[in-house]
């Protein structure tokens, strides 16, 4: 049989070929590439059942929860809080002023006050909530058993604590944006109970605020009153210090001033009056002295009634003497008597004028003496006043201390009275603007919302699980990822489905779909356009297709598509199937393995398909093992001889990791193409197949992908 084989040139003989084991290839790792939108779609479509199952389970769980969970009702009570309190008195214990932020911070702090233990305990006491099984933790048998086993304090304290915790869980206090209104929301199994609790908490809050302000006023009043006794003692001490100092320095006070100061003031006044009188009398005496012998010209003589009367008598006597001198003559006794009376009157006038001058001298001397006495007394009192002024400095300091202590004491006394009156005055500017009403609809569970959330949450969770599973076991997602994994180009992406009504290996009237044929033909053209065949290489052009084991069906289909595509364009194609025996009979017929052992020529065992340009060579009989060098030699002879009758050899090489019989073919073919399925073939299998090719001394020259979603 070997003599019938085509003789090869010497340079291609097995003994001339230096066949050696390939160099070790580094262990390949999974390719890292970005996931595109189309890749994500493939992942979701492939794992759609996991996503839908997750969504269905969550939706059923939400439905069961919504149907089995007892209904809850929520009621709202609204409280308006004005940061500017009522101005009942001017000096309030809590001064009313609006903060720079408009009172928002103060109102926010009231949210915590409403939820405080004191307010809630008042509401619990007002509604007798400790007797309600819904809140006191005594609603079920399990709760009672656990309470009996784990309970550690008194029953009343334990029940109150459980009620308080349960009420806190059912209570929500919120404030809408830019408003000063608190919403007190209580949830309970009964709508009436929820409304009752919300109103009770609101009332308890107002009562707590009033009580807190009353307590603040009481504490302030008690604190100020406690200081009053101390202030009173300080006033007494200051008064005693002033009086003791005045007694020690002989400082007598009258009408708030020292008596010595008053006396000095009065004597100074008297001295001024005496000086004025002395000056006036001196002027009068000086005038009398200047008048010489005519003192009757002075003002004192003119004002004297005696002088005036004597002057009138004198005038009368002068008239009488003048009349008598005319009538009776100078010697008449009546004339003489009248003249004598006139002389006596004038003598009286002279004596009276002398008396007036003497009296003026006497008054002047007396006034001068009085002035001198007052001046001496003033001089003495001034000397004493200097000593008193030195002592008054310390006295005034003591008096200022006394006035300050008195002022503080008076302020404390007034403030104590004011704060005492504020105890019974509520200045809180907060009120309930909306009482809670029983709810008409249940607030929990919101079944439509739960179902909606469970559905989309399940879809999201299922998508996340799908992506996690994809990440833990990555598959081929795109051409770029496949190209990065094998470091070779991807020649095309073939759709997994065809438009043929029935599948036929080769030829026949039922041709493959136009799209599939076009993609296969274009891939074949790209494949040999990038071929690195030597110019005078005597072997027929050949391509071997391999894949991971799970892609055997797609690999066989792609191999036949390539053969059909080449045959449809007039090429003569030899199709070699390394997987199945030719004819599909129970007893294997001679085929490829027989050719590689040199027992048959390939022309003798190949079968041409009727009506087609494709000849098929099956696997053959695996009756004996051949050496790899022998297989390479006969493979070379087979490809050289096939070049006379065929234009292309397409080999379905199977999974090379499991099919070692294909290693001679791997060594001699032109192109090694790996077939993988998008979003299905694991990357680890691609890596294993690529490593198997590397171990056989070659590298993949390209890849063809199958898209099941196309």
């Amino acid at each position: 049989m070997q003599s019938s084989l085509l003789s090869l040139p010497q340079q291609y003989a097995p003994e001339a070929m230096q066949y050696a084991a390939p160099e070790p290839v580094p262990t390949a790792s999974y390719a890292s590439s970005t996931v595109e939108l189309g890749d994500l779609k493939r992942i979701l479509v492939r794992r759609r059942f996991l996503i839908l199952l997750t969504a269905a389970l969550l939706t059923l769980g939400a439905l069961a929860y919504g149907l089995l969970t007892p209904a809850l009702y929520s009621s709202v009570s609204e409280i308006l809080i004005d940061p500017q309190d009522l101005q009942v008195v001017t000096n309030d214990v809590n001064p009313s002023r609006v903060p720079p932020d408009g009172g928002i911070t103060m109102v926010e702090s009231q949210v915590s006050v409403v939820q405080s233990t004191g307010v809630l305990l008042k509401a619990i006491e007002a509604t007798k909530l400790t007797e309600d099984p819904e809140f006191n933790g005594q609603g079920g048998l399990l709760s009672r058993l656990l309470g009996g086993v784990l309970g550690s304090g008194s029953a009343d304290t334990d029940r109150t604590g459980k009620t308080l915790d349960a009420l806190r869980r059912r209570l929500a206090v919120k404030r809408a944006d830019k408003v000063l209104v608190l919403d007190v929301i209580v949830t309970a199994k009964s709508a009436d109970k929820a409304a009752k609790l919300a109103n009770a908490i609101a009332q308890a809050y107002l009562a707590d605020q009033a009580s807190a302000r009353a307590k603040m006023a009481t504490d302030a009043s008690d604190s100020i009153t406690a200081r009053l006794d101390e202030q009173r003692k300080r006033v007494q001490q200051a008064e005693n210090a002033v009086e003791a100092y005045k007694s020690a320095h002989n400082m007598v006070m009258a009408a708030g001033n020292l008596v010595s100061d008053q006396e000095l003031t009065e004597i100074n006044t008297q001295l001024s009056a005496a000086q004025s009188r002395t000056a006036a009398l001196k002027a009068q005496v000086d005038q009398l002295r200047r008048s010489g012998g005519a003192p009757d010209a002075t003002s004192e003589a003119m004002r004297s009634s005696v002088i005036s009367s004597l002057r009138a008598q004198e005038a009368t006597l002068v008239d009488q003497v003048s009349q008598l001198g005319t009538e009776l003559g100078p010697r008449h006794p009546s004339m003489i008597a009248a003249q004598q009376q006139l002389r006596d009157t004038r003598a009286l006038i002279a004596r009276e004028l002398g008396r007036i001058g003497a009296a003026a001298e006497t008054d002047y001397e007396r006034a001068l003496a009085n002035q001198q006495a007052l001046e001496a007394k003033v001089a003495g009192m001034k000397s004493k006043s200097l000593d008193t002024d030195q002592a008054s400095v310390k006295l005034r300091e003591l008096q200022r201390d006394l006035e300050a202590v008195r002022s503080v004491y008076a302020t404390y006394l007034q403030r104590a009275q004011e704060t005492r009156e504020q105890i019974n005055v509520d200045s809180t500017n907060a009120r309930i603007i909306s009482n809670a009403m029983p709810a008409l609809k249940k607030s929990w569970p919101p079944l439509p919302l739960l179902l909606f959330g469970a559905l989309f949450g399940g879809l999201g969770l299922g998508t996340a699980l799908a992506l996690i599973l994809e990440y833990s076991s990555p598959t081929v997602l795109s051409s770029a990822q496949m190209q990065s994994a094998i470091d070779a180009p991807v020649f095309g992406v073939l759709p997994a489905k065809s438009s043929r009504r029935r599948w036929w290996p080769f030829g026949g009237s039922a041709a493959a779909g136009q799209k599939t044929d076009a993609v296969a033909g274009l891939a074949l053209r790209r494949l040999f356009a990038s071929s690195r065949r030597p110019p005078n290489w005597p072997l027929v052009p050949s391509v071997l297709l391999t894949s991971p084991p799970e892609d055997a069906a797609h690999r066989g289909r792609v191999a036949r598509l390539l053969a059909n595509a080449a045959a449809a364009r007039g090429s003569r194609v030899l199709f070699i199937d390394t997987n199945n025996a030719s004819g599909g009979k129970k007893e294997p017929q001679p085929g490829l393995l027989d050719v590689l052992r040199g027992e048959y020529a390939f022309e003798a065992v190949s079968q041409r398909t009727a009506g087609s340009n494709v000849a098929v060579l099956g696997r053959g009989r695996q009756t004996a093992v051949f050496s790899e060098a022998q297989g390479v030699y006969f493979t070379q002879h087979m490809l050289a001889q096939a070049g006379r009758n065929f234009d292309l050899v397409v080999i379905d090489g199977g999974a090379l990791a499991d099919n070692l019989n294909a290693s001679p073919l791997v060594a001699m073919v032109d192109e090694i193409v790996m077939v993988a399925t998008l979003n299905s073939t694991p990357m680890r299998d691609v890596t294993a197949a690529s490593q198997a090719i590397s171990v056989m001394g070659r590298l993949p020259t390209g890849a063809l992908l199958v898209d099941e979603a196309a």
Side-chain angles (χ1 to χ4, degrees), residues 61-139:
L63 180 62
Y65 175 80
L67 295 177
L68 299 178
T69 302
L72 297 178
Y73 299 87
S74 298
S75 295
V76 183
S77 179
E78 297 180 345
I79 304 174
L80 174 63
I81 300 177
D82 191 346
Q84 188 171 3
D85 293 333
L86 299 175
Q87 191 68 34
V88 181
V89 293
T90 304
N91 295 324
D92 198 348
V93 175
N94 301 286
S96 178
R97 63 173 65 94
V98 179
D101 61 353
I104 298 298
T105 304
M106 189 272 289
V107 177
E108 283 290 344
S109 65
Q110 298 305 305
V111 174
S112 299
V113 176
V114 175
Q115 302 178 86
S116 63
T117 301
V119 173
L120 296 184
L121 287 179
K122 289 181 180 179
I124 291 173
E125 182 180 0
T127 57
K128 297 181 180 180
L129 199 61
T130 54
E131 301 176 2
D132 191 342
E134 181 182 351
F135 289 88
N136 62 11
Q138 304 296 324

Side-chain angles (χ1 to χ4, degrees), residues 213-292:
R213 290 177 179 267
K215 186 177 184 303
M216 292 174 62
T218 302
D219 295 341
S221 178
D222 294 342
S223 178
I224 295 174
T225 303
R227 296 280 296 171
L228 282 177
D229 293 337
E230 181 180 352
Q231 295 298 327
R232 189 182 297 109
K233 291 179 181 179
R234 291 182 62 184
V235 171
Q236 292 176 355
Q237 292 174 358
E239 289 178 346
N240 293 335
V242 171
E243 295 301 327
Y245 188 82
K246 289 193 294 184
S247 176
H249 293 80
N250 195 21
M251 301 173 70
V252 181
M253 304 291 291
N257 296 317
L258 292 173
V259 174
S260 59
D261 292 342
Q262 295 179 0
E263 290 178 353
L264 180 59
T265 302
E266 292 175 358
I267 292 175
N268 280 328
T269 303
Q270 293 176 8
L271 177 60
S272 298
Q275 289 175 346
S276 299
R277 179 173 175 76
T278 301
L281 291 176
K282 185 176 183 303
Q284 183 179 356
V285 171
D286 292 341
Q287 184 180 9
L288 289 175
R289 290 175 181 174
R290 285 193 302 271
S291 63

Side-chain angles (χ1 to χ4, degrees), residues 382-666:
K382 284 184 177 180
S383 177
K384 182 179 179 182
S385 178
L386 292 176
D387 298 334
T388 305
D389 289 341
Q390 296 295 328
S392 297
V393 175
K394 179 65 175 177
L395 177 63
R396 285 192 293 271
E397 182 180 355
L398 294 175
Q399 288 176 338
R400 285 193 297 269
D401 292 342
L402 175 60
E403 292 300 326
V405 173
R406 282 176 177 172
S407 177
V408 173
Y409 175 70
T411 302
Y412 267 75
L413 185 61
Q414 179 183 1
R415 191 60 177 158
Q417 294 293 337
E418 290 177 350
T419 53
R420 192 175 297 113
E421 293 299 326
Q422 292 179 29
I423 295 176
N424 299 322
V425 177
D426 184 13
S427 61
T428 305
N429 198 5
R431 60 189 179 90
I432 300 175
I433 60 174
S434 177
N435 287 315
M437 300 293 292
L440 300 179
K441 297 181 180 180
K442 63 181 181 179
S443 60
W444 189 265
L447 188 57
L449 182 61
L450 287 177
L451 294 178
F452 183 81
L455 176 60
F456 284 92
L459 292 176
L461 179 60
T463 301
L465 292 176
L467 294 177
I468 291 174
L469 291 176
E470 184 66 28
Y471 180 79
S472 61
S473 179
T475 58
V476 178
L477 298 177
S478 64
S479 299
Q481 189 181 29
M482 185 66 179
Q483 182 172 336
S484 176
I486 65 175
D487 194 19
V490 175
F491 297 115
V493 179
L494 298 169
K497 300 177 182 178
S498 63
S499 60
R500 64 172 65 221
R501 295 180 180 178
R502 61 184 180 89
W503 183 86
W504 192 256
F506 303 103
S509 60
Q514 294 182 356
K515 180 179 179 181
T516 305
D517 285 345
V519 174
L522 185 59
L524 196 61
R525 183 178 294 272
R526 289 176 179 173
L527 180 65
F528 284 99
S530 61
S531 177
R532 294 176 296 276
R533 285 172 55 87
N536 298 321
W537 186 248
L539 305 183
V540 65
S542 58
V543 55
L544 183 143
L545 284 82
T546 184
S547 71
E550 62 269 14
D551 291 323
H554 288 305
R555 182 191 66 245
R557 176 174 173 270
V558 170
R560 286 170 173 80
L561 285 175
L562 292 179
N564 282 330
R569 288 164 176 77
S571 298
R572 295 169 298 172
V573 180
L574 173 62
F575 182 80
I576 301 176
D577 188 356
T578 65
N579 298 285
N580 300 320
S582 61
K585 299 179 181 180
K586 294 183 180 180
E587 292 295 332
Q589 297 298 317
L592 175 65
L593 298 180
D594 300 283
V595 174
L596 296 182
R597 288 195 297 268
E599 297 176 358
Y600 290 90
F602 84 95
E603 293 178 343
V605 294
S606 63
Q607 300 177 3
R608 183 175 298 274
T609 303
S612 173
N613 292 333
V614 180
V616 180
L617 178 63
R619 180 180 181 181
R621 300 172 298 175
Q622 192 172 0
T623 58
V625 180
F626 55 87
S627 65
E628 190 168 357
Q630 180 185 7
V632 171
Y633 174 79
F634 286 109
T635 299
Q636 190 176 27
H637 274 266
M638 179 185 68
L639 295 178
Q641 188 175 5
R644 298 172 57 185
N645 300 321
F646 298 97
D647 301 317
L648 175 67
V649 175
V650 178
I651 304 172
D652 182 358
L656 294 181
D658 302 331
N659 188 10
L660 296 179
N661 291 328
S663 59
L665 299 174
V666 173

